[in-house]
Amino acid sequence: MITTTVLFSIVVFVALASIAIPDPCATIGGQKWVSPQDLRACYTSFAVDPSIKENIVDVINKTLAFHTSVNYEIAAPEPFTEFVHEDLLKDLARISSQSYPSDYDLHLDVSRTLKRLNDGHCVWINSCYVPLFLNFLPIPLVLLTDSDGAQSVHIAPEAFAVTSAEFLDEIDVWQEALPPAIQLQTLDGAKVLSIEGQNPSVAVDANALITGSFQPLGTRQNSFFSSYQFGDNGWTYIMGDFAQQSLPLNDSVTLVVQRVSESTTDTIKLPYRARINPATVSFTDSASYRAKNCLPILGTNGVDLNETTVSAAPLSETVMKFQQQPPILKTFTKERVNVMLNTIPLSDVALPPSLVPNVPVVSGGFGSGQFYMLSDNKTGVFALGSFGGDTIDTMMSGMLQGLINLKSLGATQLIVDVSNNGGGFICAAEFLHRIIIGPKNTTVPQAGLDTETRDGPLARLIVQQIIQNDVDPTQALLYNPLNWNNASNVAFAADNDWLLPPVDLTINGHADAFSQRLGQECQPNGFTTMPPDEGLFPASNVVIVSNGRCASSCSLFSITMVKEEGVKTVVLGGRSDVQQAYCGTVGGQSTVFSEIDTEVKTAKLKNNSLVSATR
């Protein structure tokens, strides 16, 4: 009997040992299209590494010492108090002590915590997850208003044109999910009566809580819907958060719709499908997935500029992909940049030809800008999808020449369309203001762009290392006093310890400190093209148009044009019962972790207790 028992145990052991545990990442390896369920199974198969989690929280905590708005965003001032109330440091302490079923769940919590700031200058991007696949539906949505002013959600009238051009190899999957009597193209323009059994506004508002990037509620609601942008590749179509997700959040969606010219309604259920990002390094299983897509690359961390041949802090391809502007190469001392980041990269989906402006193109265009003359022969249009992309020289000369060309054709009034403009060169934004309005006390020496910076202990140490030990002989660091002017627009001397004394403040009950006020950054050396002696258009004849998703340098341009010059604005889309904002998030020089890490390493402070031991 004892022998039987032992033999039985051995048999069971051998049988268990022969069972292979499936590798969920092998299921999606080498595939272009996968189900969100399978993608999520791969993502959630990785356990949290306690040491990496500790490092993530530590790095974020210490990097936030440089972020301007940490204490302000605990309870934002009006008009955003209702929508921005995130205590980041408190939430990071919660994350540090909380357990997670997988590394992916940890990523979700960190990402959404930072997104609750509703500030696209403070974003968490984990290259193990966000750039690898995008989750799509074939039916982007729009908010339409009828002749009586009533608003309703519809499937975009151009949905099938977009889908058949961009997702031709996956259309059959979506068609097969529909009832036999419904063809995918017949959903174009259909009115959406419910999403998952609720009024569509419920889904719009739920998305506004997690999409982040923009402070105004109306702007975050608008991100649910499709829109457009002009950029390096011409006109592109933005699917909107409903039809495009950066993570496999949903497997399918059920809608009740009323198709065009139909008196009855249909209930449809469509699956989301996840498409691999072309930039994702191919993998075959979990091990190769992690090894090829989750390791640090050039630009993940900073460098000591005195021990490398590079001339500025490198930006990783991951960061550039999620900047809301075409990739640019910059030298800090010449080209200050203020740009948003988002966990969804810039769209490369082509705008359907039927939606491309059918009016004459005026010469002078450049990568992210194009000029048009409307049929009245007096209204010029400047479509400006970004203040970045080209070199700043090309942008400035292109903006000036294009506007001059519009005037020479008879334009006396100007529409500047900055829809989905995520920012870019600060001095290009100031230059556009200057050439439209002309030289006056609101544009010279600058257009009201005074600034200040967070003044923490580590920032002060960087300045002191620069002025005492000459660690920045090429003037490449953000904290070099030679790169800044005081509020009187007088340049700091090389030995000016400009962060002392700090301006001490109490913000939402927390002690904080900021620098003295800093002056203009762009004139005259930041203007690579000489502005004209007179303005090109009177402010009363200028209108700025956007969908509210105008941020960073775009916000600087729009706000100063409105507040200083009285220029009118028009916001496209948005619910009529919600206040719409013509711009989203402002800011000054924006940085990423690798740039701050470069400041620290070049200043020989990497071993200081205020600095994280980055991996």
Side-chain angles (χ1 to χ4, degrees), residues 309-505:
T309 57
V310 302
S311 60
L315 288 179
S316 73
E317 291 181 2
T318 300
V319 169
M320 289 190 288
K321 185 183 305 176
F322 292 100
Q323 285 184 333
Q324 298 303 289
Q325 66 175 16
I328 61 172
L329 299 176
K330 68 183 181 72
T331 302
F332 168 74
T333 54
K334 181 180 179 183
E335 299 159 5
R336 312 291 172 83
V337 171
N338 183 22
V339 64
M340 297 273 283
L341 288 105
N342 197 335
T343 52
I344 293 180
L346 280 179
S347 175
D348 59 359
V349 178
L351 190 71
S354 62
L355 297 182
V356 174
N358 186 26
V359 292
V361 175
V362 176
S363 62
F366 49 93
S368 57
Q370 187 63 272
F371 300 89
Y372 300 90
M373 179 66 86
L374 297 188
S375 58
D376 63 4
N377 291 321
K378 66 178 182 180
T379 305
V381 178
F382 179 21
L384 182 62
S386 170
F387 279 98
D390 289 289
T391 65
I392 194 168
D393 311 58
T394 301
M395 276 205 78
M396 289 186 177
S397 61
M399 287 192 292
L400 179 58
Q401 191 58 56
L403 294 179
I404 289 175
N405 291 344
L406 284 175
K407 282 203 70 171
S408 69
L409 293 173
T412 58
Q413 50 195 28
L414 177 67
I415 298 171
V416 184
D417 187 344
V418 290
S419 296
N420 293 300
N421 185 317
F425 296 121
I426 293 174
C427 291
E430 183 172 332
F431 181 76
L432 181 58
H433 183 160
R434 165 66 178 79
I435 63 176
I436 291 174
I437 300 301
K440 51 182 291 195
N441 61 1
T442 58
T443 62
V444 180
Q446 57 130 327
L449 302 183
D450 287 357
T451 189
E452 55 194 31
T453 187
R454 196 98 180 272
D455 193 338
L458 183 54
R460 293 175 209 163
L461 286 178
I462 293 172
V463 173
Q464 289 161 13
Q465 285 290 91
I466 292 171
I467 64 179
Q468 294 173 11
N469 298 313
D470 193 29
V471 297
D472 185 29
T474 61
Q475 202 176 323
L477 297 184
L478 288 165
Y479 286 94
N480 193 319
L482 293 175
N483 288 327
W484 301 98
N485 299 327
N486 65 20
S488 300
N489 295 316
V490 176
F492 289 133
D495 61 351
N496 191 314
D497 198 348
W498 60 281
L499 289 184
L500 291 177
V503 178
D504 294 317
L505 299 172

Side-chain angles (χ1 to χ4, degrees), residues 4 46 81 85 144 147 356 390 447 449 458 467 478 519 543 550 552 557 582:
T4 305
F46 302 102
T81 307
H85 36 78
L144 300 181
S147 58
V356 174
D390 289 289
L449 302 183
L458 183 54
I467 64 179
L478 288 165
V543 174
C550 159
S552 302
F557 164 72
Y582 62 84

Side-chain angles (χ1 to χ4, degrees), residues 111 115 119-126 130-131 134 207 210-214 219-220 223-224 238 240-241 244-247 317-325 339-347 420 422 549 551-552 592:
S111 177
K115 280 192 172 189
D119 181 352
H121 299 113
C122 191
V123 177
W124 165 254
I125 293 175
N126 185 334
V130 288
L134 291 173
N207 181 73
I210 64 172
T211 189
S213 296
F214 294 92
T219 306
R220 286 181 283 115
S223 71
F224 189 78
I238 296 174
D241 291 350
Q244 178 174 320
Q245 301 175 340
S246 62
L247 293 169
E317 291 181 2
T318 300
V319 169
M320 289 190 288
K321 185 183 305 176
F322 292 100
Q323 285 184 333
Q324 298 303 289
Q325 66 175 16
V339 64
M340 297 273 283
L341 288 105
N342 197 335
T343 52
I344 293 180
L346 280 179
S347 175
N420 293 300
R549 295 175 66 83
S552 302
V592 296

Side-chain angles (χ1 to χ4, degrees), residues 193-228:
L193 303 177
S194 72
I195 299 176
E196 298 297 347
Q198 295 181 302
N199 188 293
S201 63
V202 175
V204 172
D205 290 340
N207 181 73
L209 294 176
I210 64 172
T211 189
S213 296
F214 294 92
Q215 291 168 336
L217 172 62
T219 306
R220 286 181 283 115
Q221 289 174 332
N222 292 348
S223 71
F224 189 78
F225 302 107
S226 63
S227 56
Y228 63 87

